[in-house]
Amino acid sequence: MARPTPLSGFPEWLPAGRVVEQHVLDTLRRTFELHGFAGIETRAVEPLDQLLRKGETSKEVYVLRRLQEETAEGAADERSGKGDKQLGLHFDLTVPFARYVLENAGHLAFPFKRHQIQKVWRGERPQDGRFREFVQADIDVVGAGELPYHFEVELPLVMAEALGELRSIGVPEVRILVNNRKVAEGFYRGLGLDDVEGVLRSIDKLDKIGPDKVGALLVAETGATPEQADACLALAAISGSDAGVAERVRALAGEHGVTSELLEEGLVELSALIDAAAVRAPGVVVADLKIARGLDYYTGSVYETVLVGHEQLGSICSGGRYDTLASDGANTYPGVGLSIGVSRLVSRLLSAGLVRSTRSVPSAVVVAVTSEETRAASDAVAVALRSRGIPVEVAPSAAKFGKQIKFADRRGIPFVWFPAGVGADGEVVAHQVKDIRSGEQVTADPATWAPSEEDLWPRVVPAGE
Amino acid sequence: MARPTPLSGFPEWLPAGRVVEQHVLDTLRRTFELHGFAGIETRAVEPLDQLLRKGETSKEVYVLRRLQEETAEGAADERSGKGDKQLGLHFDLTVPFARYVLENAGHLAFPFKRHQIQKVWRGERPQDGRFREFVQADIDVVGAGELPYHFEVELPLVMAEALGELRSIGVPEVRILVNNRKVAEGFYRGLGLDDVEGVLRSIDKLDKIGPDKVGALLVAETGATPEQADACLALAAISGSDAGVAERVRALAGEHGVTSELLEEGLVELSALIDAAAVRAPGVVVADLKIARGLDYYTGSVYETVLVGHEQLGSICSGGRYDTLASDGANTYPGVGLSIGVSRLVSRLLSAGLVRSTRSVPSAVVVAVTSEETRAASDAVAVALRSRGIPVEVAPSAAKFGKQIKFADRRGIPFVWFPAGVGADGEVVAHQVKDIRSGEQVTADPATWAPSEEDLWPRVVPAGE
């Protein structure tokens, strides 16, 4: 077998990189659970017809087929409906969660808060920050019949806290940009523009083509007058992280004679989020009224998150409010949630050299082996240390001690333990442990010695440290 | 959307079941890391030609296709080699690990110890304990060029310890059954039987058809004399967990005039494993010379593991030694490893009612909400408790306190916190926390109060507790 090469779009990490990813995942999970989100996991596959209900992503779905079905009969069976139902890999965690809620509604307590950390697959063209297989970490709250607005305030704050917990390892500051469908829709309709989706599609191009061309587009494609187009652009230009945002929108609405209950409802909601965020996550949450992506399917708040200094990477954490996350005819389940693109984040942390792990293996200690005949003595030291929660491995061979120290050094393992025994000239030698960084070597007892808290497990730290 | 139904062979757990699975996964990972195994994760897909190298499983592979390739041109592109390489979902973690080792050999330090906990997929007919999607937890050690035998002793002991750590939650005792290819092959060849694979195939049927029929099969299919067949059956009847095993094999070999260096090498190895296990995991590891499954592709030790009292479930942890886990022409990488079938284990724990979790959500406390106007006061209590590592959620609505207590009770959350405020008759009321199991309610300070260690997080306990 020749040396295999990576598959584009399917990222994998070396062990040191996986330490970073695992730390990120553990930190997210802990924060989610401190907020009461129960962890669930769904199967990786869904019936294809379910996956295709969300139109736009249909072309990116990976379809599964059992190899043995690839015969003529198998294919015929499938076409005639006799074979298994066609399955595809899920492309996000929202569609499977909605299905899980419907399937298990009788066994869940609502409002149901869940976190879900899993891989998803999309057959997209791979490029920087876009993968075909990647890990997402989602939180959602779903209600039965109703879901109070305060969850739209709570969820981005949970994400702000989770991402904030990663600052200490070198993750850059984040900005959570928020908008509200009701503000945009209320304003546009109040202006007399009823093609809300059309206006949003144009506004979404602001970053790419600039306000002049967007203004022309609004006139050409949504039938807006130049004045209406200017008003839409003026709304999109408003951003900020205090109560001034709502005031500026109200003033703008006043200038254009816009009165709208929906607009006012949206502004009250947006203000509540901004106010709470100013207390609980100062500087993190910013209202940004040009955010249009997602407003076509979300029904209330919408969120995007950028890494400060890495804005061109795109959003690393997005989501919003759905009035109908799931519905089975009898019941409707509104939801609000956000999803972190963990692979996108970790890939950037590693490729930009922002973080590092202090070592690539769990072991804090290598127990040296004096001779294969006395390997059991080394094993006994390892057992004693592990029983007190210290990660340890025993040297693979009874090589010269210099070589065994090199074994530890190559893996970044800080300590080498020399077990007690009989020395070359017949004298009894006590247990000794060497810090191979400082060279310091001391007598030690396997029943009591421990490394410092800092050296116990690999840690993830900013790359400069 | 009608209520969806489960897909056969794709298990999913309710939140309380997921607490159990997560506890199992966390326990395995911690034990593996205490022994120095570095965690890695590989992509879920491999090129189809790589997956098909291990012949027998070929028909069970799920092949992937992007939906947009399902057009005539796409299919033509693929046939002519212009499209993407055909991909399939991995059916175990060994094939991807071997590929990972070859791909990254220049960046890994050997011997390389890794653990890997991921889902795998097989298009098998679903039945009890056999799934189409399931989680495996693997440990392997791989060497560059050579790998000392002592790793074949170490790895099953790590698994014994990992599974032993689960005893406290109600997982039954396990027996790790071991055999060694060298013993079987040395004995058969010493007897004059050179169709080693043929003999192993017949011996593998012992449990199903019994010794008489296996004896007849050996005569009919491997050309054995009745005496040779009897000798093979006598070898297969030997089992035990002490040095007597090797002695009985040597005596049997003597009776039949068998002398074989390979047999003796195998017996020395098997004895070393049994001796070490008697010290480090008494009663867990048993030499069982009728184990034949896997001896056709493993080259040294082979392992199977049963849950005592649930033997008909089959092996929940299997593996062995490969002399050539991977090879790139220039280098050969021998390995030894075992794989736990986590889904099979967890599914049995849940379906047989062996374990339960103390609650289905992480929260230890629900902070009640007196009125929507004072929700911020409840949020502040939650923030204070979480800052000290206590999982908390805030009540979803300012319902009557009785209803808020019911909210906690339904989820098994032990405490409800009533925030300080102004009472109905204008007096100032202090913070109070109620243990809803005992009804006891005490004044408490959000800056210092904590639940007992036992109530802090959901715990997994034997179902009877």
Side-chain angles (χ1 to χ4, degrees):
Chain A
M1 181 178 176
R3 171 150 303 169
T5 50
L7 275 180
S8 175
F10 292 87
E12 285 184 339
W13 317 125
L14 286 168
R18 175 64 182 165
V19 172
V20 172
E21 182 176 60
Q22 188 68 64
H23 178 87
V24 169
L25 295 174
D26 289 346
T27 302
L28 297 178
R29 178 176 140 200
R30 182 179 159 84
T31 306
F32 298 161
E33 297 191 345
L34 279 173
H35 286 263
F37 290 78
I40 69 159
E41 204 167 278
T42 59
R43 62 192 190 221
V45 304
E46 298 293 333
L48 193 56
D49 52 358
Q50 287 306 309
L51 291 174
L52 298 188
R53 290 172 70 226
K54 206 171 167 184
E56 228 200 326
T57 44
S58 66
K59 62 181 184 302
E60 304 168 358
V61 171
Y62 279 110
V63 183
L64 256 59
R65 186 162 299 153
R66 283 192 292 146
L67 195 56
Q68 62 188 11
E69 289 177 346
E70 298 223 328
T71 57
E73 305 106 280
D77 274 0
E78 196 139 330
R79 263 179 254 116
S80 66
K82 273 191 284 182
D84 292 334
K85 208 167 181 184
Q86 264 221 310
L87 300 176
L89 293 174
H90 56 216
F91 55 80
D92 72 5
L93 302 177
T94 306
V95 170
F97 175 55
R99 190 263 312 152
Y100 179 95
V101 166
L102 290 182
E103 190 175 315
N104 299 296
H107 304 281
L108 301 174
F110 294 96
F112 175 52
K113 302 168 79 166
R114 81 88 174 80
H115 72 81
Q116 189 171 346
I117 301 177
Q118 285 184 250
K119 284 186 175 169
V120 305
W121 293 267
R122 294 183 192 175
E124 299 188 340
R125 182 178 298 276
Q127 46 181 297
D128 187 35
R130 279 196 188 269
F131 299 115
R132 293 185 152 184
E133 170 178 290
F134 54 100
V135 178
Q136 287 193 330
D138 283 28
I139 54 174
D140 283 271
V141 183
V142 61
E146 52 163 20
L147 188 74
Y149 174 74
H150 64 76
F151 287 115
E152 291 173 62
V153 176
E154 179 185 340
L155 265 72
L157 292 177
V158 175
M159 283 304 196
E161 189 174 319
L163 292 165
E165 289 291 329
L166 295 171
R167 294 292 306 280
S168 63
I169 66 164
V171 172
E173 217 179 322
V174 299
R175 285 278 175 285
I176 303 182
L177 310 176
V178 303
N179 197 358
N180 191 302
R181 160 93 188 190
K182 295 172 187 172
V183 172
E185 180 169 351
F187 187 86
Y188 302 154
R189 288 194 192 281
L191 272 179
L193 294 171
D194 286 334
D195 180 8
V196 175
E197 271 72 24
V199 176
L200 288 170
R201 262 199 309 279
S202 301
I203 293 292
D204 190 36
K205 300 194 170 117
L206 265 174
D207 281 345
K208 271 189 202 150
I209 61 175
D212 291 351
K213 286 185 178 164
V214 168
L217 216 55
L218 285 167
V219 172
E221 300 200 349
T222 68
T225 65
E227 292 69 31
Q228 288 171 325
D230 283 348
C232 293
L233 289 170
L235 181 72
I238 294 175
S239 73
S241 50
D242 59 35
V245 169
E247 285 321 305
R248 275 180 281 158
V249 176
R250 287 189 186 104
L252 184 68
E255 281 170 36
H256 294 271
V258 169
T259 57
S260 159
E261 278 182 30
L262 189 63
L263 170 62
E264 189 51 33
E265 189 182 326
L267 288 175
V268 168
E269 291 187 356
L270 196 57
S271 300
L273 174 47
I274 294 296
D275 289 350
V279 174
R280 288 181 48 193
V284 173
V285 176
V286 178
D288 187 344
L289 276 64
K290 76 169 180 298
I291 301 279
R293 170 94 24 108
L295 280 188
D296 47 344
Y297 50 90
Y298 291 119
T299 55
S301 301
V302 61
Y303 318 103
E304 288 191 7
T305 309
V306 292
L307 282 181
V308 175
H310 301 260
E311 288 79 2
Q312 80 297 352
L313 184 62
S315 177
I316 56 149
C317 175
S318 309
R321 155 102 187 201
Y322 290 93
D323 276 339
T324 313
L325 175 73
S327 172
D328 58 9
N331 292 291
T332 293
Y333 301 89
V336 55
L338 293 99
S339 174
I340 297 184
V342 176
S343 300
R344 180 179 286 193
L345 175 63
V346 170
S347 162
R348 175 55 60 106
L349 295 180
L350 296 174
S351 68
L354 297 172
V355 305
R356 66 178 183 89
S357 63
T358 53
R359 55 185 189 258
S360 63
V361 297
S363 316
V365 183
V366 171
V367 182
V369 174
T370 312
S371 69
E372 283 305 330
E373 291 67 43
T374 59
R375 175 172 290 277
S378 300
D379 284 338
V381 172
V383 168
L385 293 174
R386 281 186 206 116
S387 73
R388 292 184 294 108
I390 302 166
V392 180
E393 59 190 287
V394 176
S397 76
K400 288 194 176 142
F401 280 166
K403 210 174 154 193
Q404 298 192 45
I405 291 171
K406 209 167 277 172
F407 172 92
D409 191 39
R410 204 172 155 200
R411 288 158 178 79
I413 302 172
F415 297 98
V416 176
W417 189 287
F418 302 102
V422 178
D425 19 334
E427 87 285 25
V428 173
V429 182
H431 288 288
Q432 303 242 311
V433 63
K434 184 189 195 83
D435 182 331
I436 64 171
R437 297 161 300 186
S438 65
E440 192 192 3
Q441 185 166 333
V442 296
T443 299
D445 181 346
T448 56
W449 179 88
S452 70
E453 193 62 34
E454 205 167 65
D455 286 333
L456 186 59
W457 291 100
R459 284 175 307 117
V460 180
V461 296
E465 272 183 25
Chain B
M1 182 178 177
R3 172 150 300 169
T5 51
L7 276 180
S8 175
F10 292 86
E12 285 184 338
W13 316 125
L14 286 168
R18 176 63 183 165
V19 173
V20 172
E21 182 176 59
Q22 188 69 63
H23 178 86
V24 169
L25 296 175
D26 288 346
T27 303
L28 297 178
R29 178 176 141 199
R30 182 178 159 85
T31 306
F32 299 160
E33 296 192 345
L34 280 173
H35 286 263
F37 289 79
I40 69 160
E41 204 166 276
T42 58
R43 63 193 187 218
V45 304
E46 297 293 333
L48 194 56
D49 53 358
Q50 287 306 309
L51 292 173
L52 299 187
R53 289 173 71 225
K54 205 171 167 184
E56 228 199 325
T57 42
S58 64
K59 63 180 184 302
E60 303 167 358
V61 171
Y62 279 110
V63 182
L64 255 61
R65 186 161 299 151
R66 283 191 293 146
L67 194 57
Q68 63 189 11
E69 288 177 346
E70 299 222 327
T71 57
E73 306 106 279
D77 273 359
E78 196 140 331
R79 264 180 254 117
S80 65
K82 273 191 285 179
D84 291 334
K85 211 167 178 182
Q86 263 222 309
L87 300 176
L89 292 174
H90 56 215
F91 54 80
D92 72 4
L93 302 177
T94 306
V95 170
F97 175 54
R99 190 263 313 153
Y100 180 94
V101 166
L102 289 183
E103 191 174 314
N104 299 296
H107 303 282
L108 302 173
F110 294 97
F112 175 51
K113 304 168 79 167
R114 81 87 174 81
H115 73 80
Q116 189 170 348
I117 301 177
Q118 285 184 250
K119 285 187 172 167
V120 305
W121 293 267
R122 294 183 192 176
E124 298 189 341
R125 182 177 297 278
Q127 46 182 297
D128 188 34
R130 278 196 188 270
F131 298 116
R132 292 185 151 183
E133 170 177 289
F134 54 100
V135 178
Q136 288 194 328
D138 283 28
I139 53 173
D140 283 270
V141 182
V142 62
E146 53 164 19
L147 188 74
Y149 174 74
H150 64 76
F151 286 115
E152 291 173 62
V153 177
E154 178 185 340
L155 265 71
L157 292 176
V158 175
M159 283 303 197
E161 188 175 319
L163 293 165
E165 289 290 331
L166 296 171
R167 294 291 308 280
S168 62
I169 66 163
V171 172
E173 219 178 321
V174 299
R175 287 277 175 285
I176 303 181
L177 310 175
V178 303
N179 196 358
N180 190 304
R181 159 93 190 192
K182 294 173 187 172
V183 171
E185 179 168 352
F187 188 86
Y188 301 154
R189 288 195 193 277
L191 272 179
L193 294 171
D194 286 335
D195 180 7
V196 175
E197 269 72 25
V199 177
L200 289 169
R201 263 197 309 278
S202 301
I203 293 292
D204 190 37
K205 301 195 169 117
L206 264 173
D207 281 345
K208 271 190 200 149
I209 62 175
D212 291 351
K213 286 185 178 164
V214 168
L217 216 55
L218 284 167
V219 172
E221 300 201 349
T222 68
T225 65
E227 292 69 30
Q228 288 172 326
D230 282 348
C232 292
L233 289 170
L235 181 73
I238 293 174
S239 74
S241 52
D242 59 33
V245 169
E247 285 320 306
R248 276 180 280 157
V249 175
R250 287 191 184 101
L252 183 69
E255 281 171 35
H256 293 272
V258 169
T259 56
S260 159
E261 278 182 29
L262 189 63
L263 170 61
E264 189 50 34
E265 189 182 325
L267 288 174
V268 168
E269 290 188 355
L270 196 56
S271 301
L273 173 48
I274 295 295
D275 290 349
V279 175
R280 287 180 48 191
V284 172
V285 175
V286 178
D288 187 344
L289 276 62
K290 77 169 181 296
I291 302 277
R293 172 93 24 109
L295 280 189
D296 47 343
Y297 49 90
Y298 291 118
T299 55
S301 301
V302 60
Y303 318 103
E304 288 192 5
T305 308
V306 292
L307 281 181
V308 175
H310 300 261
E311 289 79 1
Q312 79 297 349
L313 185 62
S315 177
I316 57 149
C317 175
S318 309
R321 156 101 187 200
Y322 291 92
D323 276 339
T324 313
L325 174 75
S327 172
D328 59 8
N331 292 291
T332 293
Y333 300 89
V336 55
L338 292 99
S339 174
I340 296 183
V342 175
S343 299
R344 179 179 287 192
L345 174 64
V346 170
S347 162
R348 176 56 60 106
L349 295 179
L350 296 174
S351 67
L354 298 172
V355 305
R356 66 177 182 88
S357 62
T358 53
R359 56 184 188 259
S360 63
V361 296
S363 315
V365 183
V366 170
V367 182
V369 174
T370 312
S371 70
E372 284 304 330
E373 291 67 44
T374 59
R375 174 171 291 277
S378 300
D379 284 338
V381 172
V383 168
L385 293 174
R386 280 186 206 116
S387 73
R388 290 182 296 110
I390 303 167
V392 180
E393 59 190 287
V394 176
S397 76
K400 288 195 176 142
F401 281 166
K403 210 174 155 193
Q404 297 193 45
I405 291 170
K406 208 167 275 172
F407 173 92
D409 191 40
R410 205 172 154 201
R411 289 157 176 79
I413 301 172
F415 297 98
V416 175
W417 188 287
F418 302 102
V422 178
D425 16 334
E427 87 285 27
V428 173
V429 182
H431 288 288
Q432 302 242 310
V433 63
K434 184 189 196 83
D435 182 331
I436 64 172
R437 296 160 302 186
S438 65
E440 191 192 3
Q441 184 165 332
V442 296
T443 299
D445 181 345
T448 56
W449 179 88
S452 71
E453 193 61 34
E454 206 166 64
D455 286 332
L456 185 59
W457 291 100
R459 283 174 309 117
V460 180
V461 296
E465 271 181 30

